[in-house]
Amino acid sequence: MDLRLSDRVAVVTGASKGMGLAITATLLSEGAKVIAVSRKSSPELDALAGPRLVHVSADLTNPEAPASAIASAVEVFGGVDILVNNAGGPPPGTSLPRFGFLTPDDADWRDMFEFNLFSAVRAIRAAIPVMLGRGGGAIVNVSSTLARQPGAMNVDYSAAKAGLNAVTKSLSEEFGPQGIRVNTVSPGPVRTDWWTKDGGAADIIAASAGIDRDAVMDSAAPEMMRLTTGRLIDPQEVADAVALLVSPRSGSTTGAEYIVDAGALKEL
């Protein structure tokens, strides 16, 4: 299927690894031009180098960074048609999961909201005038199933993502009539650096449960989260959903939440 993304200009945050890397590669394969935003590049992102890809180094917890990334897209490629707010998860220097409401303090809450909500808000604020000047655009905010099904772990993260879902709905209502579609993709547990890095979620859960880290990712975590598919999600599966939502082929889809959760959410 041709997604009709040739020469569209996309900004993807958190683009150097995991879901962001998969999203970047997918949009490039569909002919888009991509500003890939991350604190630093990666060998995998460097391997995608070419005239349609520019890496912008940015710490999105810096309030000026999101607007600077949008400005780079305008400077290099002449505008912005697509914005994917993928950056999120543990703020720099933080490891998740955190257990219990009393664990994160005020600074932890501020860091979580800066990274998972405010950075997206700032990028959107900068992108909308540019998109309006081009007659419209598409925004996808990458949220989480934890926004819908919060629990005793990662309370601050769940709250930040719930806020992002609410922002998506509000933006869709305000700017949909002006040609800007805004949607959410909510993944369940994706096999990314969040899980696999040293000291990441797999190690934290393994230490708590007294089992091997590989067993956490291969069986314990899917069982604990009641994943219907029995496995963690592949980043490409999220990237495919994002690519479809930013495509003109989804021209009547706005204000929607697209779930890629391996069957974790059971409610109607």
Side-chain angles (χ1 to χ4, degrees):
M1 179 188 295
D2 178 9
L3 295 182
R4 292 157 45 192
L5 295 176
S6 181
D7 291 328
R8 305 235 172 184
V9 179
V11 175
V12 180
T13 66
S16 64
K17 56 190 176 183
M19 292 184 292
L21 179 67
I23 292 165
T24 297
T26 301
L27 295 180
L28 284 171
S29 72
E30 292 291 334
K33 301 171 182 176
V34 182
I35 295 291
V37 185
S38 60
R39 287 193 304 274
K40 57 184 180 180
S41 190
S42 65
E44 295 81 6
L45 183 60
D46 291 342
L48 300 175
R52 291 187 290 110
L53 175 68
V54 173
H55 175 251
V56 171
S57 178
D59 178 357
L60 293 173
T61 61
N62 177 345
E64 308 301 322
S68 178
I70 299 298
S72 294
V74 174
E75 179 182 355
V76 175
F77 293 130
V80 177
D81 303 299
I82 295 164
L83 171 62
V84 182
N85 285 307
N86 166 74
T94 300
S95 294
L96 296 181
R98 281 195 290 236
F99 300 96
F101 171 75
L102 297 178
T103 302
D105 59 19
D106 280 3
D108 294 325
W109 277 85
R110 282 192 294 270
D111 290 346
M112 190 65 71
F113 271 64
E114 283 286 347
F115 193 39
N116 286 277
L117 179 58
F118 297 153
S119 67
V121 167
R122 290 165 181 147
I124 294 166
R125 185 186 294 133
I128 280 179
V130 179
M131 289 181 174
L132 290 175
R134 291 165 73 87
I139 299 170
V140 168
N141 295 319
V142 178
S143 182
S144 169
T145 54
L146 290 180
R148 282 179 165 265
Q149 191 170 286
M153 290 193 302
N154 306 327
V155 178
D156 47 349
Y157 175 75
S158 298
K161 290 301 191 182
L164 187 60
N165 288 7
V167 169
T168 298
K169 288 285 189 180
S170 297
L171 289 167
S172 174
E173 183 69 15
E174 180 174 358
F175 293 102
Q178 300 173 69
I180 299 177
R181 297 183 300 106
V182 191
N183 293 289
T184 299
V185 170
S186 290
V190 183
R191 196 171 185 123
T192 63
D193 188 59
W194 180 344
W195 284 89
T196 61
K197 70 180 181 180
D198 290 340
D203 285 339
I204 293 171
I205 295 172
S208 176
I211 58 176
D212 178 77
R213 73 188 310 271
D214 290 331
V216 169
M217 290 184 282
D218 293 340
S219 59
E223 290 171 9
M224 177 179 66
M225 299 178 185
R226 300 174 59 215
L227 302 185
T228 304
T229 63
R231 62 173 176 82
L232 299 181
I233 299 157
D234 187 278
Q236 186 61 52
E237 294 167 328
V238 179
D240 290 341
V242 171
L244 180 60
L245 283 173
V246 301
S247 164
R249 290 187 176 274
S250 297
S252 291
T253 304
T254 190
E257 182 182 12
Y258 197 105
I259 306 293
V260 185
D261 70 339
L265 297 177
K266 310 298 183 184
E267 74 273 12
L268 294 175

